[in-house]
């Protein structure tokens, strides 16, 4: 009733476990528990979500999680059409956008996903999710700072906004 909600951010690494085995159910079970703990008032931002990559066993994780968790899904590409960022929630989606971010050399592309949710009672919130360049060379550091500047320009001081990512 107060418009509160929880945000979970997680780099799921295509749901490939340390053993090398594909394990989407472990991710789903953890998010399901978080959703119960938040009484359904949860927004999930996931990074490295694969949609049919061979490394992820051809699993299309976005609709699989949406169905398994009973949540609305917004997926946007970051590095090509099969790898990107995902936002899940039971809150109705009002609008969703993707903003590509500067790419560092030959490394994977990056993006920002922005989703506006209707929390009820006339309240709306924007949740932005990203996965910044993670390499630590001088060029990558410069690009990461440029990504942050691009995100801040996109946000432009809009009220009721949450930024999540790694």
């Amino acid at each position: 009733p107060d418009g509160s909600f929880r945000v979970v951010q997680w780099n799921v690494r295509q749901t490939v476990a340390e053993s090398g085995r594909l394990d989407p159910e472990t991710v789903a079970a953890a998010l399901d528990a978080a959703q119960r703990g938040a009484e359904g008032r949860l927004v999930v931002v996931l990074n490295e979500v694969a949609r049919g990559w061979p490394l992820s066993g051809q699993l299309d994780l976005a609709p699989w999680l949406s169905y398994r968790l009973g949540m609305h899904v917004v997926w946007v590409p970051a590095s090509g059409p099969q790898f990107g960022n995902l936002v899940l929630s039971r809150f109705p989606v009002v609008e969703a956008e993707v903003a590509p971010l500067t790419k560092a050399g030959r490394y994977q592309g990056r993006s920002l996903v922005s989703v506006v949710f209707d929390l009820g009672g006339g309240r709306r919130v924007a949740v932005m999710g990203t996965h910044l360049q993670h390499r630590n060379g001088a060029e990558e550091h410069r690009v990461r700072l440029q990504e942050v500047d691009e995100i801040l320009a996109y946000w432009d001081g809009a009220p009721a906004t949450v930024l999540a990512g790694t």
Side-chain angles (χ1 to χ4, degrees), residues 87-108:
V87 179
L88 296 158
S89 184
R90 287 190 176 161
F91 294 117
V93 174
V94 175
E95 63 185 70
E97 295 181 348
V98 60
L101 299 175
T102 296
K103 186 174 184 233
R106 67 182 195 281
Y107 297 115
Q108 292 178 332

Side-chain angles (χ1 to χ4, degrees), residues 31-69:
L31 295 176
D32 203 23
Q35 188 169 224
R36 283 192 310 275
E39 298 175 2
R41 301 183 61 79
L42 181 72
V43 176
V44 178
V45 177
L46 301 179
N47 308 120
E48 296 189 17
V49 174
R51 301 201 68 181
W53 267 23
L55 181 61
S56 61
Q58 305 294 333
L59 174 66
D60 191 345
L61 188 61
W64 187 90
L65 281 174
S66 175
Y67 177 79
R68 165 67 173 75
L69 299 171

